[in-house]
Amino acid sequence: MKKITTVPFLFLLAGATPVIAQKIVCINSAEVIQKMSEFITAEKQLKTFTEIHDAEFQKIVNQFQKKSQQYEKEAPSKKADENKKRSKELLVLRKRAEEYQKTATEDLTKKQNELLNPIYKKVEDTIIKVIDKDKSITRVDDCSPGKGILINKGPDITEDVKKELGIK
């Protein structure tokens, strides 16, 4: 009679890892970010930055409008050469306004990145801390309004992330 051995079966058990339920969770990152003190400070700095650029742009526009109105009134009494010279001057002012607007937009984008990227990184790192505590989480969907996730049946970790960040 052959002896039945259980050694292969034991090896199978030893090599098997337990199956952990995988879950997809969601977070409202907009809610988290908007409650962070760093975001509130960044928002104020961006508002001030924008106001400065808007005021400078408005000065250029006002200068253009003032000269344009003045030249329009005086045009009939001026020679063709003078009117041509004034048209060029207005064109230069218009170009200056367009260039300033482009530069201001680029500066604002750069400032936004400078101020907001560290905040996004902090939120991302905190999300990683939260999901490291629960090894069954395999994916985090952003359920903020406008992000495209309409329904997520998984748990919402927004409060866990806010707690980890120390915000209410």
Side-chain angles (χ1 to χ4, degrees):
M1 183 188 280
K2 285 187 170 180
K3 184 178 179 187
I4 301 175
T5 178
T6 57
V7 175
F9 182 72
L10 288 177
F11 280 122
L12 283 174
L13 282 178
T17 55
V19 176
I20 299 174
Q22 297 179 347
K23 62 182 172 182
I24 298 170
V25 298
C26 71
I27 182 170
N28 184 337
S29 65
E31 179 183 332
V32 172
I33 290 168
Q34 289 174 353
K35 294 197 178 206
M36 294 174 68
S37 62
E38 297 97 320
F39 179 76
I40 295 165
T41 301
E43 209 172 34
K44 288 176 185 174
Q45 289 176 356
L46 288 170
K47 182 179 180 199
T48 301
F49 191 80
T50 301
E51 287 170 352
I52 291 168
H53 278 299
D54 285 348
E56 186 61 32
F57 179 71
Q58 195 57 49
K59 284 180 191 176
I60 297 168
V61 169
N62 289 344
Q63 185 181 10
F64 174 83
Q65 288 174 339
K66 188 177 177 180
K67 284 193 180 214
S68 179
Q69 289 170 353
Q70 177 189 350
Y71 292 171
E72 196 174 300
K73 283 180 187 176
E74 297 172 354
S77 65
K78 297 293 179 181
K79 294 180 183 177
D81 288 350
E82 184 68 23
N83 284 332
K84 194 173 184 180
K85 181 180 172 187
R86 288 178 169 201
S87 290
K88 283 184 180 180
E89 187 178 340
L90 290 175
L91 185 62
V92 167
L93 277 174
R94 179 176 287 175
K95 281 266 194 211
R96 182 173 158 218
E98 290 170 357
E99 287 173 9
Y100 186 83
Q101 193 172 31
K102 181 181 175 194
T103 300
T105 301
E106 290 169 357
D107 287 350
L108 180 61
T109 300
K110 184 178 176 183
K111 190 71 166 173
Q112 283 175 325
N113 289 336
E114 175 187 313
L115 293 172
L116 298 178
N117 284 346
I119 295 168
Y120 299 146
K121 177 71 171 133
K122 184 175 182 179
V123 170
E124 183 181 325
D125 291 346
T126 305
I127 292 169
I128 290 169
K129 281 183 187 177
V130 168
I131 64 176
D132 280 349
K133 292 177 183 176
D134 185 346
K135 302 293 183 198
S136 66
I137 297 174
T138 57
R139 189 172 90 203
V140 179
D141 290 339
D142 192 343
C143 300
S144 300
K147 292 290 184 173
I149 305 292
L150 299 177
I151 298 173
N152 181 352
K153 292 184 179 183
D156 186 334
I157 63 168
T158 303
E159 293 303 317
D160 297 333
V161 172
K162 287 172 28 182
K163 182 178 175 184
E164 188 76 31
L165 285 167
I167 56 177
K168 295 180 182 183

